[in-house]
Amino acid sequence: MTPIGADDLEAAILRHLVYTIGKDKDHASTHDWRMAASYAVRDAVVDSWFAATRQTYEQKGKRVYYLSMEFLMGRLLDDALVNLGLHDKIKDVLARHGIALDDVIGDEPDAALGNGGLGRLAACFLDSMATLRCPGMGYGIRYEHGLFRQRFEGGRQVETPEDWLTQPHPWEFERPEANYTVPFKGWVETVDGRAIWHPSESVLARAYDTPVVGWQGTWANTLRLWAAHPTELFDLERFNAGDHTAAAAPEALARTLSRVLYPEDTTDSGKELRLKQEFFLTSATLQDMLRRFLSEYDDLALLPEKVAIQMNDTHPALAGPELIRLLVDEHGLDWSDARKIAGQCLNYTNHTLLPEALERWSTWLMGRVLPRHMQIIERIDAEHVAATKCPEHLRIVWHDQVHMGTLAFVMARHVNGVSALHTDLMKDTVFAELNAAYPGRILNQTNGVTPRRWLRLSNPGLSAVITDTIEAGWENDLGRLSELVRHESDALHAAIRAAKRANKEAFAAWVQAEMGVTLNPDAMFDVQVKRIHEYKRQLMNVLETIARWAAIRRDPGADWVPRVKVFGGKAAPGYATAKQVIRLVNDVARVVNADPVVGDRLKVVYPPNYNVSMAQRLIPAADLSEQISTAGKEASGTGNMKFTMNGALTIGTLDGANVEIREHVGAENFFLFGMTAEEVQACYRKPDHARAAILQSQVLQDVLQMLAEGRFSPEEPTRYHGLVDMTWNHDSFLVASDFDAYMAAQAEVDAAYADTARWDAMVLQNIAGSGYFSSDRTIRGYMDEVWHTKALG
Ligand code: 26W
């Protein structure tokens, strides 16, 4: 990419301000400047984008199609500025016109087209594929409304629609020429042995492309998002007949398909609209893939050599039956060839073992919405059963349900887990029998995160210290962070500590402005940010917070390490228990923050609407990263990696990627506690494990007693009786059984924090050991072991 000088950049921004936005610079708003700046930076991206597309065609490279119902992209301008090395330049240019870059960047809404881990991982993968010059395209849905906006009323979560598209989106290009009809319902007849589907409904999928530029702008890939449009236009006849709603029905019906993201992230909704959304994405993408392939080649047998398809969890698992349908029904291949080709192109990533998250569609619903695919699924299943002689319960279609995990597994060439522990658990539990039936299909690809957004962009202070110490270039070669160790010195410790301090002061200023709560930057910033879910055990964290509060009140004069407990995260709207936990945290915050006895020794804050942009602001300011899930439940976690990269120490269980983080940073630099995944299974076998554990912990008993008495809800003393009862009698995620170990580990954290030299040394080892957790390392693994593709250019 040709480097852009400040003057050219300024000229480009002013040209767009006048000719694209139509505003005179003396009357332009921050929003106008943001739009003009975005168009100017976008221009710079387009060149490498076109070059990459051209090279991919010329070099006949093997393309990767990454299908995901979610892409949690966050803001795009600041990321492009960092990848193009234009951040400081544009800051000066805008300052010349009295405009603050932070205000311009803050004006952009997050592209919140995802729920959490799975969606953000997809976004990090796009950045790494572009940086590694891997010709990969992301395919998703252009939801009009992303993940809901969260606010608190009386401490309770209230959801309001997210509306990122109510203003023009400068980073997308509408592609009116890329339209595909996606059929639904109807019936199937067989004529001369060939199936002919007569759909009764259809929508048009229209493409919107967003360029994804890699580090230093050397390459750019495409994120293609589909929006639903009606196949038939506005029904004028009906309108003239006065039936206005009916006239608009086709439009409204179509748009529902890409209207909103389902906010569940662990519970299969089973809703028809969700199934239609999954097929909408899958069919439009595969039609587009085949159109592109046949524009270069004419022998479909070549497909597996030129195309690798990744199914991001089971949500696009209809890709198997749909690819076969297109190859057989539309392109005339015979079944066995089509089956073979599909089986060589498709790959499946599993992101969770939670039973309630594994998608199962009723055969009734699948047969009604996708009658042709139900036929194809049954044939795939019959061949699967014949080939493996498997028992009933291993069938794809079983108990009147289509098991999408089994379908994805049977159709895939490679099936991967997202951390070493998770992949082992896949082999030992949920997929044990399929693993035996299809040996060698399961492999591991431990997750990663992009160091461009999560370190270089979010933490310029620490990034400068790193570059000053080991020279530039670590941004796309993160393993080099290990070089920090040989530069270890008091000066380096002091520089890293100063960067952390500045980030904490910046975050404290933001909390002061947004929430009116004063935070002491000397305190330890103890952070748990992620979706609210019982297995992630935010409840255990708030119970420990109450115990700490009570202990401080009992002996305020003691030598307490001041703490700020930061919580962040959304609960799925229908998840009542998670919502109760949110309310409890807010109720506890209200009491603790108003308590003069405790004062600055303990504060609790829960900023509403945790999203990618807030994570970028908060993670660099953290001292302690809470990764406390019940062992065996968190497939990997990716927040844990972001905190480690930014010099926060982890208190955590041996779960997901925590295991590998501890291996890479050194066990002595990780605050481990709690049962292992095996011990968890053993604990579940103990009857009354919760009651037994609570009776052994006076602290926990006292805390639960305070809750039961309404200590944090005097206006409604019985408010938390449900949570208390559940903890005594069910405790499905073993909060009680791990509580004392957690408390003990928190005491170790206090001791370490009080010893700044020791803490600084541990911080350095965490940063130095975090190189492995770059998504560049992850994508190299996928390229070599899953997609069998090479970098181009
Ligand atoms: C059908 C509803 C639904 C929607 C999303 C079920 C399950 C999901 C996702 C798989 C949930 C998810 O985000 N899983 C997270 O994926 C991350 C990326 O691999 C992991 O790091 C997290 O451990 C895992 O919980």
Side-chain angles (χ1 to χ4, degrees):
M1 184 209 85
T2 43
I4 308 177
D7 299 347
D8 303 346
L9 185 58
E10 181 175 21
I13 294 172
L14 293 175
R15 184 168 39 75
H16 278 294
L17 194 58
V18 174
Y19 297 106
T20 309
I21 310 302
K23 277 291 183 72
D24 172 339
K25 67 179 176 54
D26 303 331
H27 300 94
S29 67
T30 302
H31 175 72
D32 299 327
W33 282 101
R34 193 261 298 180
M35 296 301 279
S38 301
Y39 285 121
V41 175
R42 189 183 78 172
D43 294 351
V45 171
V46 168
D47 305 335
S48 6
W49 193 21
F50 285 7
T53 307
R54 243 192 325 275
Q55 284 180 49
T56 307
Y57 274 102
E58 281 154 15
Q59 296 171 33
K60 298 207 167 306
K62 180 174 185 180
R63 297 166 194 277
V64 173
Y65 288 76
Y66 197 87
L67 279 62
S68 180
M69 286 289 280
E70 305 184 19
F71 286 95
L72 199 40
M73 302 294 282
R75 290 180 174 134
L76 300 177
L77 176 56
D78 47 3
D79 186 61
L81 289 171
V82 160
N83 270 309
L84 295 173
L86 294 175
H87 196 272
D88 301 346
K89 225 171 262 173
I90 201 170
K91 194 174 184 144
D92 303 344
V93 166
L94 291 171
R96 288 180 205 162
H97 299 273
I99 306 293
L101 177 59
D102 283 354
D103 297 346
V104 163
I105 285 173
D107 174 75
E108 180 182 347
D110 271 35
L113 307 181
N115 279 285
L118 171 141
R120 181 57 232 179
L121 185 83
C124 284
F125 278 11
L126 292 182
D127 181 85
S128 284
M129 285 194 272
T131 295
L132 295 172
R133 307 167 76 90
C134 167
M137 295 184 71
Y139 277 88
I141 294 182
R142 181 181 181 266
Y143 301 106
E144 271 177 59
H145 304 286
L147 187 60
F148 62 84
R149 206 180 290 286
Q150 175 197 53
R151 73 172 196 280
F152 297 136
E153 269 174 23
R156 281 198 263 208
Q157 171 179 296
V158 174
E159 304 90 20
T160 52
E162 189 286 324
D163 54 9
W164 72 303
L165 287 178
T166 47
Q167 47 185 285
H169 176 31
W171 289 96
E172 68 177 7
F173 292 85
E174 182 174 0
R175 300 297 194 206
E177 76 283 3
N179 276 309
Y180 297 93
T181 301
V182 178
F184 294 102
K185 299 184 175 169
W187 54 286
V188 182
E189 67 172 330
T190 307
V191 180
D192 320 336
R194 298 192 67 77
I196 300 177
W197 180 16
H198 300 282
S200 62
E201 269 181 34
S202 66
V203 296
L204 213 58
R206 174 165 306 161
Y208 291 74
D209 289 353
T210 297
V212 178
V213 66
W215 177 243
Q216 294 180 323
T218 58
W219 187 271
N221 282 328
T222 304
L223 170 59
R224 177 160 278 188
L225 299 177
W226 300 107
H229 289 266
T231 41
E232 81 240 44
L233 283 182
F234 176 65
D235 190 329
L236 194 58
E237 216 169 303
R238 288 231 181 122
F239 184 86
N240 295 340
D243 188 348
H244 300 147
T245 33
E251 168 90 21
L253 180 69
R255 285 187 49 199
T256 52
L257 264 182
S258 54
R259 172 106 56 207
V260 65
L261 166 75
Y262 268 82
E264 275 79 31
D265 79 330
T266 49
T267 313
D268 173 13
S269 66
K271 299 271 187 325
E272 175 176 331
L273 179 58
R274 170 74 178 190
L275 176 60
K276 292 175 86 174
Q277 285 186 335
E278 293 183 354
F279 182 64
F280 174 71
L281 161 64
T282 305
S283 179
T285 302
L286 293 179
Q287 293 185 55
D288 193 40
M289 178 274 287
L290 284 174
R291 189 260 322 149
R292 186 175 293 107
F293 175 83
L294 291 168
S295 74
E296 293 179 85
Y297 313 97
D298 46 24
D299 178 1
L300 282 163
L302 267 180
L303 204 64
E305 272 169 54
K306 295 299 176 185
V307 168
I309 299 168
Q310 195 67 34
M311 300 183 281
N312 199 18
D313 216 279
T314 58
H315 313 152
L318 283 165
E322 175 64 355
L323 184 50
I324 291 174
R325 180 185 77 90
L326 293 168
L327 293 175
V328 172
D329 297 5
E330 310 278 326
H331 295 274
L333 267 63
D334 66 32
W335 173 272
S336 61
D337 289 345
R339 174 69 183 83
K340 194 153 70 43
I341 289 170
Q344 288 172 333
C345 289
L346 292 164
N347 304 288
Y348 158 49
T349 301
N350 174 278
H351 295 269
T352 181
L353 298 176
L354 293 177
E356 68 268 27
L358 301 177
E359 291 187 297
R360 291 179 287 269
W361 296 104
S362 75
T363 49
W364 173 81
L365 184 63
M366 185 69 82
R368 200 168 70 81
V369 174
L370 299 167
R372 177 62 180 133
H373 296 78
M374 194 59 230
Q375 290 179 343
I376 294 172
I377 290 170
E378 273 155 356
R379 185 160 177 185
I380 294 169
D381 199 16
E383 292 181 352
H384 156 60
V385 172
T388 62
K389 311 271 174 291
C390 64
E392 274 291 297
H393 67 267
L394 220 52
R395 301 186 64 127
I396 297 168
V397 183
W398 182 52
H399 278 183
D400 302 328
Q401 291 192 311
V402 181
H403 295 254
M404 301 309 276
T406 309
L407 172 62
F409 193 108
V410 168
M411 283 304 301
R413 178 179 179 181
H414 300 291
V415 173
N416 76 280
V418 290
S419 78
L421 175 63
H422 171 62
T423 302
D424 291 344
L425 288 172
M426 283 172 67
K427 291 177 182 171
D428 304 343
T429 62
V430 176
F431 294 101
E433 292 166 285
L434 283 170
N435 186 42
Y438 300 95
R441 194 166 283 191
I442 296 182
L443 53 88
N444 181 49
Q445 296 296 342
T446 295
N447 282 164
V449 299
T450 169
R452 273 72 68 183
R453 183 179 290 267
W454 296 110
L455 186 48
R456 189 67 175 71
L457 165 56
S458 301
N459 200 339
L462 177 58
S463 297
V465 172
I466 294 171
T467 301
D468 294 350
T469 308
I470 65 170
E471 308 297 316
W474 51 268
E475 293 89 338
N476 63 341
D477 183 7
L478 208 64
R480 289 195 44 219
L481 292 184
S482 61
E483 295 167 22
L484 289 167
V485 174
R486 70 168 177 268
H487 293 275
E488 182 157 16
S489 66
D490 293 352
L492 180 55
H493 285 165
I496 292 174
R497 174 172 282 275
K500 179 63 72 179
R501 172 72 185 208
N503 295 333
K504 290 171 74 173
E505 286 169 357
F507 181 69
W510 181 79
V511 168
Q512 184 71 61
E514 296 289 318
M515 306 176 75
V517 177
T518 307
L519 303 182
N520 162 14
D522 292 329
M524 180 201 307
F525 284 16
D526 169 351
V527 180
Q528 186 173 25
V529 285
K530 51 189 73 225
R531 287 295 295 254
I532 310 300
H533 197 286
E534 291 165 273
Y535 85 81
K536 295 173 185 279
R537 300 204 287 192
Q538 283 92 355
L539 178 62
M540 187 163 73
N541 187 342
V542 71
L543 295 179
E544 191 272 341
T545 305
I546 294 169
R548 179 175 293 268
W549 169 72
I552 293 171
R553 286 176 60 82
R554 276 197 302 275
D555 183 5
D559 178 17
W560 294 101
V561 171
R563 280 213 195 194
V564 172
K565 284 267 187 183
V566 183
F567 290 83
K570 296 171 180 177
Y575 193 173
T577 307
K579 286 186 154 180
Q580 269 299 78
V581 171
I582 290 177
R583 192 173 192 189
L584 175 59
V585 173
N586 284 322
D587 276 347
V588 169
R590 186 181 50 174
V591 171
V592 170
N593 296 347
D595 185 339
V597 177
V598 168
D600 247 3
R601 298 176 190 76
L602 182 61
K603 284 271 185 279
V604 181
V605 286
Y606 194 152
N609 205 42
Y610 175 69
N611 59 14
V612 170
S613 292
M614 191 194 293
Q616 288 176 214
R617 186 191 293 280
L618 174 49
I619 291 174
D623 296 302
L624 188 68
S625 158
E626 297 269 355
Q627 309 298 334
I628 60 176
S629 53
T630 314
K633 304 297 180 188
E634 189 71 86
S636 163
T638 45
N640 46 7
M641 299 165 182
K642 297 162 189 168
F643 281 103
T644 303
M645 246 169 233
N646 282 277
L649 303 185
T650 303
I651 183 167
T653 52
L654 277 179
D655 196 17
N658 292 358
V659 175
E660 291 155 88
I661 289 174
R662 184 167 170 269
E663 283 163 8
H664 280 84
V665 305
E668 70 284 3
N669 302 310
F670 187 103
F671 299 103
L672 179 70
F673 77 95
M675 290 175 280
T676 63
E678 290 77 28
E679 289 162 343
V680 162
Q681 292 312 315
C683 188
Y684 279 136
R685 289 191 286 275
K686 276 195 297 184
D688 237 3
H689 51 79
R691 184 167 298 279
I694 296 170
L695 293 176
Q696 268 166 14
S697 167
Q698 190 54 51
V699 175
L700 184 52
Q701 272 178 60
D702 298 348
V703 168
L704 292 173
Q705 187 52 31
M706 280 188 257
L707 274 186
E709 290 161 0
R711 185 69 186 77
F712 302 97
S713 56
E715 68 279 16
E716 185 194 357
T718 63
R719 178 176 296 166
Y720 296 110
H721 282 195
L723 270 183
V724 171
D725 175 67
M726 188 193 68
T727 306
W728 272 96
N729 302 312
H730 304 289
D731 196 17
S732 317
F733 295 98
L734 311 181
V735 166
S737 303
D738 261 349
F739 187 76
D740 282 0
Y742 179 52
M743 286 275 289
Q746 289 287 17
E748 276 176 46
V749 172
D750 282 332
Y753 191 76
D755 176 348
T756 51
R758 177 171 168 228
W759 188 270
D760 290 350
M762 295 174 79
V763 164
L764 184 72
Q765 292 300 331
N766 273 263
I767 299 169
S770 68
Y772 179 78
F773 302 100
S774 165
S775 45
D776 297 352
R777 183 270 313 153
T778 310
I779 291 297
R780 280 198 198 92
Y782 278 89
M783 291 172 73
D784 298 345
E785 298 159 23
V786 179
W787 304 330
H788 312 291
T789 186
K790 290 265 168 297
L792 294 184

